[in-house]
Amino acid sequence: MEPTDAILLDVLQDWSDRWSHTALVSALASGRPLSSALGTDALDGLAEEVLDGLLVPRGAETAARQLLAEGRFDLVDLMLDGGRLPLEDARQLKSDLADARRAAAGRATRALHLLTRRAEQLDLARGWHEEDGTAHDLLELATSDESAFTELLVGWETQARQAEGLRGDDLRAELERSREGEPVDPAARSLLEECLAAGEFRLARVLVRSDRAQFPADAGPSGLARLPRPVQLHRYALEDVLEWYQNGELGSAELHGWLPAFEDTAGRRLTDALAALVLAGADRPPEPSSVRELVEALHGCVGTAEPVVECEALAGGVVSRLYCTSDHRLPPLGLFGRAGIALWVAPSTAEPPEQLASAPFIWLVPEWEGEAPPAEGCGPLYADDLLRLAAPTPRGTVPPAAERQLALLRAVAPGLGVSGLLDAGRPGAGRGLELAGRGKAALQLSWFFDLLGLQPDSVTVEAVLYETGGHPSALRELLQTLCDHPASRLSGRELRARLEAVREGTDWRRRASRQVQEQLPDVNAGLALHTALWLHSGGGRGEFDVGELSDVLVDLAGSGGVPAPVDLADGVGPLVSLGIMERRNGRLTLAPNGLPDLLARGSGRQPEEMVADLLRQAREQADAVLAQVVVSLNQLTVDAVDHYNTNLQRKLTEINKQMVEEEDRERRMTLNEEYLRVSEQLRQVGSLMSAAKEAPRPLPLAELIGEQTCAAHLGSGGRDRYDVTCAEHLWVKANPWLLGQVFWNLFDNSRKAIDATAAQHGFVEVTVTVSTAVDGTPWCVILVADSGDGVSQGVASRLNQGECLSTRNGSGQGIRIARALTQSYEGRLRVLPEPSPELFGAQVRIELPLIPDSAGD
């Protein structure tokens, strides 16, 4: 090394503006000797770099921002580790670096996905990118040095285009060879080019290798709209054209063949109605009667038979409505709603009324003198559009109503725009495109592009579906940005370039993210979603389960305010139905599309901030619910105590009445003993309230049920037998008196049902089984069955719905209170509609969560 180089290196180690040279940051920020990191060429240019840095000095923070913009994330990491930045700048830079890495990972994943799809169309064993590493390796490269990944991506894209071009040339040559010297049918060649332009090489190969001399008429790209576009008529004086239509005299040989056939009554009626409207005068408001005739003819032409067409004179025109019939090939648009879309028939000089201009509408104007209608969301419909609807195709065949409707939609859709197509005929804003199924979704989306006057290819359609996950709200926002009022008809490649330019925009992402978030039913779903996004973005976790999500939340916030695993699992359900999450082999994973990335970046906040905010909401909700539970439990306690004492008092009254009416001395003695025993159970309300308000504690289930069965056995005078099985060694957490009331009520109902049978002896069986929930929580299932007279048909359903039914002189509150008490301990109670298979009486099923044996110790 030259002495000059050594001096420069020593100076540069502590030079305050050394960050001006981003190529040196890797070595300098890590503290390594500079000479070991730079080659001869760098050393030769070192003096020049130092001079440049003195002229345009940049500090560490400025250089770090430049590196971040260039995608050199690994170098930004080194600068952060070097500790050369102020604390606040370092904290903000670290946050921005995390956001940039997430965005880079999303872009890389999307690009690799589309390359894979293009390779599949060419039937390649592996994609071009797979030769440079696995998907995991390439994602790591994108999140460390995106500029290097982008260079690779440019090369892969070049290889993909070359491979597609070669495959296209091969298929064209194969088509020529397959005809054995015969000229290729122009329709076949055109159809092949259509498939190649759409990127559907598999279908193109099948068509070329088919034995048909001509391809089937309905062949073509399966994932893209492909009906031929209406032929554009040259502009002639409208009166001359209508004169020709009316009299059948050809004004020009160029128009030959465009006269509706004599048997085409729908086309003839439309041209007649249009002629009557135009010839009446284009400079004055039309008559409602002539507009009604025109709208009825238009409905008949497109196959929409409306029995009544309402027309109302308004301002300088007439307001009516246009209805379209649903077509399975088209996406579900607002135009297909029952209300239709407003149709305004008026001269070009009239201003649309305010009530129309505030919503999507169609303006039927014979001739427009300006460049475009002044109203936003207005689809203009001109006289030559109607003539094209009325006329047959150039081959002379009458087009079916469906194709006429498509021609009508193509005429008005570009003016209506995305919002107009989705919102027309719907109250309020439309939700977006409700696409169904992978293949069908691509076809419907391509029709949407086609109606707007755009020409996508299959890669563009796939890119839009991947970016949004096909979610209606996300689709709506992206299409609104991408397609609303394009300057001109874009080809597939031009549309894809426009998509690349807009899909990284933050505004539509935030709107879409907010709308998707608003569709989540509760905070549990939001917590599950953003915890999963956090785990995925932080550690690249591909799969997780509800238990892991719950553990993360508990670690963050402790146990307070964290939803129980069963509630968190309930929150996952809507995420799966919305296509944000998927279930795979019992595990959860984020959907393999761009929707999770959109949600993570669209909020504009870090995932941990979102989780913290949702946890705060969960605590607030838990506190509110707890306060309500306290109030409800206090009322429930009062109800239980009152029900207990009221039943006992009713029983004492019945015994006392029997004693008065009984003549047998021994029977009176027995009744007196029963009266005394029941009286001992009747306690002061204050004493019962004290017992009911004791804090829940661990209880052995067998002991609690045993106490209640003994009391019920004595209450029956020893006539009823109670058998309890499999309740040993099980523990629950509850207030002993309140949970005892659940069984007290059930056994009291059983005794009354047995008495109703007039049987000398009765039987009650209590069977306990143990089960485990999906989240691993242990539960016990308690089945209480008796030999009573059962429940009448429909009664069980009414009881399970919370209805109070008074039976056998009871208050009707027993089952309601028992169910409420069970629910207060996170359990469930249900009266089964079918009788016991062994005892033939009623059956009641109780489910309670169990606690470990150690909790009882």
Side-chain angles (χ1 to χ4, degrees):
M1 180 183 296
E2 297 294 331
T4 305
D5 294 334
I7 293 172
L8 287 172
L9 289 172
D10 290 339
V11 172
L12 191 57
Q13 294 290 341
D14 295 321
W15 180 38
S16 61
D17 291 322
R18 69 190 190 186
W19 307 102
S20 299
H21 311 289
T22 55
L24 309 178
V25 170
S26 179
L28 294 174
S30 62
R32 298 194 301 271
L34 192 59
S35 58
S36 65
L38 298 177
T40 304
D41 294 340
L43 288 172
D44 290 342
L46 190 56
E48 185 178 350
E49 289 192 8
V50 171
L51 291 175
D52 290 342
L54 290 173
L55 292 173
V56 188
R58 286 179 293 183
E61 201 273 339
T62 305
R65 290 291 172 184
Q66 178 184 343
L67 289 169
L68 188 64
E70 294 173 357
R72 298 299 305 275
F73 308 130
D74 51 350
L75 299 186
V76 178
D77 268 333
L78 288 171
M79 294 188 68
L80 289 170
D81 294 340
R84 298 284 182 169
L85 297 175
L87 181 60
E88 189 59 36
D89 290 343
R91 184 181 294 112
Q92 184 61 47
L93 182 62
K94 187 174 182 179
S95 173
D96 294 343
L97 176 61
D99 288 341
R101 274 190 161 132
R102 276 194 293 270
R107 288 189 290 270
T109 303
R110 176 177 61 230
L112 297 178
H113 169 79
L114 294 180
L115 283 170
T116 300
R117 296 281 293 170
R118 293 171 75 177
E120 290 174 355
Q121 276 292 331
L122 296 176
D123 290 324
L124 300 181
R126 56 192 303 186
W128 306 274
H129 57 286
E130 293 174 338
E131 299 177 2
D132 294 294
T134 65
H136 179 72
D137 296 334
L138 295 174
L139 284 178
E140 281 194 346
L141 175 62
T143 54
S144 61
D145 188 352
E146 191 179 18
S147 60
F149 177 85
T150 303
E151 290 181 10
L152 289 174
L153 184 60
V154 171
W156 298 329
E157 178 66 26
T158 300
Q159 295 177 53
R161 285 200 301 268
Q162 290 174 349
E164 290 169 344
L166 291 174
R167 182 60 57 85
D169 292 341
D170 291 343
L171 289 170
R172 294 184 185 97
E174 188 173 351
L175 178 64
E176 297 288 344
R177 292 193 302 270
S178 66
R179 297 310 184 254
E180 299 178 350
E182 295 293 329
V184 179
D185 180 60
R189 183 180 284 110
S190 174
L191 195 55
L192 174 62
E193 293 299 329
E194 191 177 351
C195 290
L196 296 180
E200 296 199 9
F201 295 93
R202 286 179 173 176
L203 180 60
R205 185 185 61 184
V206 171
L207 292 175
V208 167
R209 297 178 181 177
S210 66
D211 297 331
R212 295 173 178 264
Q214 295 182 343
F215 295 153
D218 57 349
S222 59
L224 296 177
R226 60 170 306 274
L227 279 183
R229 301 196 61 78
V231 177
Q232 297 287 333
L233 291 178
H234 292 285
R235 285 299 186 107
Y236 294 89
L238 184 57
E239 290 80 2
D240 294 343
V241 174
L242 290 173
E243 178 77 18
W244 164 66
Y245 265 81
Q246 291 294 303
N247 301 324
E249 298 176 358
L250 301 181
S252 168
E254 195 173 6
L255 297 176
H256 184 73
W258 282 89
L259 185 66
F262 179 78
E263 65 273 12
D264 184 8
T265 56
R268 291 279 184 177
R269 183 184 179 190
L270 182 59
T271 57
D272 291 343
L274 177 62
L277 180 70
V278 171
L279 297 177
D283 57 347
R284 58 183 180 183
E287 293 294 330
S289 58
S290 61
V291 172
R292 180 179 293 107
E293 177 62 27
L294 177 64
V295 175
E296 289 178 349
L298 182 57
H299 280 144
C301 204
V302 299
T304 308
E306 288 297 322
V308 178
V309 174
E310 296 182 1
C311 293
E312 176 187 359
L314 186 65
V318 175
V319 175
S320 183
R321 300 200 74 80
L322 180 65
Y323 299 87
C324 293
T325 56
S326 180
D327 191 307
H328 70 279
R329 293 169 295 183
L330 295 175
L333 306 175
L335 284 164
F336 301 140
R338 293 183 179 179
I341 184 173
L343 176 68
W344 196 49
V345 184
S348 59
T349 55
E351 288 291 332
E354 184 177 351
Q355 56 265 49
L356 288 183
S358 60
F361 73 103
I362 295 175
W363 189 347
L364 195 159
V365 52
E367 288 186 290
W368 183 258
E369 298 178 357
E371 294 182 358
E376 184 179 356
C378 166
L381 188 62
Y382 303 113
D384 52 350
D385 295 321
L386 296 180
L387 292 177
R388 282 198 297 271
L389 292 177
T393 63
R395 291 190 299 271
T397 59
V398 177
E403 292 192 20
R404 276 174 162 160
Q405 178 171 294
L406 290 174
L408 172 64
L409 291 174
R410 279 175 168 147
V412 300
L416 292 173
V418 174
S419 296
L421 285 177
L422 297 179
D423 297 346
R426 291 182 179 176
R431 293 180 55 195
L433 289 177
E434 302 280 353
L435 305 180
R438 183 181 183 88
K440 188 176 181 181
L443 179 60
Q444 288 182 325
L445 183 58
S446 75
W447 270 117
F448 194 84
F449 281 121
D450 181 83
L451 293 178
L452 290 170
L454 304 172
Q455 293 177 306
D457 55 23
S458 60
V459 178
T460 305
V461 173
E462 183 68 29
V464 172
L465 288 175
Y466 181 88
E467 188 71 33
T468 61
H471 191 280
S473 298
L475 263 175
R476 178 191 180 91
E477 295 300 335
L478 178 56
L479 293 174
Q480 186 107 23
T481 305
L482 180 66
C483 304
D484 245 4
H485 306 295
S488 60
R489 184 170 177 82
L490 303 177
S491 67
R493 183 169 296 181
E494 292 169 335
L495 185 60
R496 201 188 317 171
R498 182 179 173 89
L499 174 63
E500 291 293 337
V502 305
R503 65 176 163 189
E504 288 300 316
T506 57
D507 290 342
W508 77 266
R509 286 179 174 274
R510 290 185 178 178
R511 290 194 301 269
S513 177
R514 182 171 61 253
Q515 290 188 27
V516 175
Q517 294 275 6
E518 290 173 353
Q519 295 178 27
L520 300 181
D522 52 34
V523 71
N524 294 329
L527 275 172
L529 170 61
H530 285 281
T531 307
L533 290 174
W534 188 5
L535 288 174
H536 180 71
S537 62
R541 295 280 298 279
E543 294 184 348
F544 27 79
D545 57 32
V546 174
E548 291 175 287
L549 300 180
S550 181
D551 291 343
V552 171
L553 294 175
V554 171
D555 290 341
L556 286 172
S559 58
V562 178
V566 64
D567 296 328
L568 206 59
D570 290 341
V572 168
L575 300 178
V576 174
S577 63
L578 288 172
I580 302 173
M581 277 188 178
E582 293 181 355
R583 298 187 191 274
R584 294 182 182 174
N585 301 322
R587 304 273 288 174
L588 295 168
T589 181
L590 292 170
N593 54 45
L595 190 55
D597 177 62
L598 184 148
L599 292 168
R601 297 164 57 197
S603 63
R605 303 168 63 187
Q606 295 291 342
E608 55 266 35
E609 294 180 18
M610 290 292 296
V611 174
D613 184 55
L614 288 165
L615 278 172
R616 178 186 56 78
Q617 295 181 36
R619 288 194 189 94
E620 293 176 353
Q621 288 188 11
D623 292 342
V625 171
L626 180 60
Q628 184 62 41
V629 167
V630 170
V631 172
S632 300
L633 189 57
N634 285 338
Q635 183 60 48
L636 180 59
T637 302
V638 172
D639 291 344
V641 169
D642 180 67
H643 181 260
Y644 175 81
N645 269 348
T646 300
N647 272 2
L648 291 180
Q649 289 171 350
R650 184 183 293 110
K651 180 64 175 177
L652 290 175
T653 302
E654 292 175 359
I655 296 174
N656 188 55
K657 182 179 179 181
Q658 292 176 12
M659 289 175 60
V660 172
E661 297 175 352
E662 184 61 53
E663 297 181 356
D664 184 76
R665 183 173 179 276
E666 291 184 4
R667 177 57 181 161
R668 281 203 307 271
M669 291 293 293
T670 302
L671 289 172
N672 184 58
E673 292 174 0
E674 186 175 359
Y675 186 90
L676 293 175
R677 182 182 57 78
V678 174
S679 298
E680 292 175 355
Q681 298 177 35
L682 190 65
R683 298 160 59 185
Q684 294 294 325
V685 173
S687 172
L688 290 175
M689 288 297 294
S690 297
K693 287 187 175 182
E694 291 179 4
R697 57 183 174 84
L699 301 171
L701 186 62
E703 182 178 320
L704 184 139
I705 296 178
E707 291 176 357
Q708 295 300 324
T709 55
C710 289
H713 176 69
L714 292 175
S716 69
R719 291 174 297 154
D720 300 339
R721 175 178 172 177
Y722 290 79
D723 293 324
V724 182
T725 57
C726 302
E728 293 79 9
H729 311 299
L730 301 179
W731 291 74
V732 295
K733 188 174 182 180
N735 174 287
W737 190 85
L738 288 177
L739 186 56
Q741 288 306 293
V742 173
F743 297 99
W744 187 89
N745 276 296
L746 297 182
F747 295 158
D748 185 57
N749 287 341
S750 294
R751 182 186 57 80
K752 293 175 180 177
I754 292 170
D755 288 346
T757 64
Q760 187 175 0
H761 298 285
F763 300 90
V764 178
E765 290 184 353
V766 182
T767 307
V768 184
T769 56
V770 177
S771 63
T772 303
V774 176
D775 60 358
T777 305
W779 288 74
C780 68
V781 179
I782 307 165
L783 188 65
V784 179
D786 60 53
S787 61
D789 59 351
V791 295
S792 302
Q793 186 176 5
V795 171
S797 175
R798 294 168 64 188
L799 289 172
N800 291 328
Q801 292 174 7
E803 188 173 344
C804 296
L805 298 178
S806 178
T807 58
R808 306 181 183 92
N809 297 320
S811 65
Q813 298 286 332
I815 291 294
R816 181 190 68 83
I817 293 175
R819 177 183 293 103
L821 288 171
T822 305
Q823 291 174 346
S824 68
Y825 298 120
E826 300 181 359
R828 295 178 285 271
L829 183 148
R830 182 168 178 266
V831 180
L832 302 184
E834 59 274 2
S836 168
E838 296 181 355
L839 300 181
F840 308 108
Q843 295 186 102
V844 178
R845 176 188 173 98
I846 302 172
E847 299 175 41
L848 287 172
L850 295 172
I851 60 175
D853 292 351
S854 57
D857 300 337

